[in-house]
Amino acid sequence: MGPGDAARCRETISWGRPGVPGRAGLWPPPPPPARSFPGDAKSTDVPEKVPAAGPRLGDIGRRPARAFQRAVRLWGSRRARAAAAAREEQSRARVEGALARLRAELLEMHFQNHQLARTLLDLHMKVQQLKREYELEIASESQSPKDNAMNPE
């Protein structure tokens, strides 16, 4: 094997994508062929020939795809934010409903507390009145035997 054989051997070995010399695996694989719709003038049987593009043309070709991917991510994140906002609104509505029920329950308890306080005050007044009546009765009974002892009949 001589020096000329080594050059021929290098020519036959593929180091990168076929058809793109000198770019061993630096470019992503080409997109699949475009599909046409029924009635379209293009046929899907014949693949289109893509001209070899330089790095700038390849970058320009990828820019719309990247922009579309960013738009999809933003749209997805907007939908996620909208869904999260809807869940937060539902949660807030549930909390406000629970607070309204608690307020109503507290007002009912407040009303019952006032009723019980009035009842207790009435009972206290009646107990005081009964005590006075009992004391007067005791006092009148204690005075009666003295009167009876003083007045022997």
Side-chain angles (χ1 to χ4, degrees):
M1 228 179 175
D5 293 335
R8 267 185 287 142
C9 188
R10 268 190 234 121
E11 287 175 6
T12 59
I13 297 174
S14 172
W15 294 101
R17 271 185 33 210
V20 182
R23 296 284 184 186
L26 295 178
W27 291 34
R35 297 186 180 185
S36 65
F37 295 99
D40 202 1
K42 295 181 182 178
S43 171
T44 57
D45 297 340
V46 180
E48 295 182 25
K49 288 187 179 183
V50 178
R56 286 189 177 172
L57 283 177
D59 187 42
I60 290 172
R62 286 188 296 268
R63 283 183 186 175
R66 287 186 199 137
F68 179 73
Q69 289 170 349
R70 276 193 304 269
V72 167
R73 281 195 306 266
L74 282 174
W75 185 69
S77 66
R78 284 182 189 146
R79 283 181 59 193
R81 283 187 296 225
R87 283 191 304 270
E88 184 177 333
E89 188 63 32
Q90 287 175 347
S91 176
R92 186 174 292 132
R94 271 188 264 129
V95 167
E96 295 217 0
L99 285 174
R101 286 189 299 275
L102 285 173
R103 282 188 197 107
E105 200 171 320
L106 281 172
L107 283 172
E108 178 65 26
M109 290 171 70
H110 186 70
F111 177 72
Q112 289 176 357
N113 188 23
H114 278 282
Q115 282 183 331
L116 287 172
R118 272 191 232 119
T119 305
L120 285 174
L121 284 174
D122 289 344
L123 286 172
H124 179 72
M125 287 174 56
K126 286 182 181 177
V127 166
Q128 293 301 320
Q129 184 181 358
L130 287 172
K131 268 186 180 180
R132 275 186 249 121
E133 288 176 6
Y134 179 72
E135 287 173 358
L136 285 174
E137 192 177 308
I138 297 269
S140 68
E141 284 180 4
S142 65
Q143 287 178 1
S144 323
K146 289 181 188 175
D147 289 338
N148 288 340
M150 291 184 174
N151 294 330
E153 290 179 32

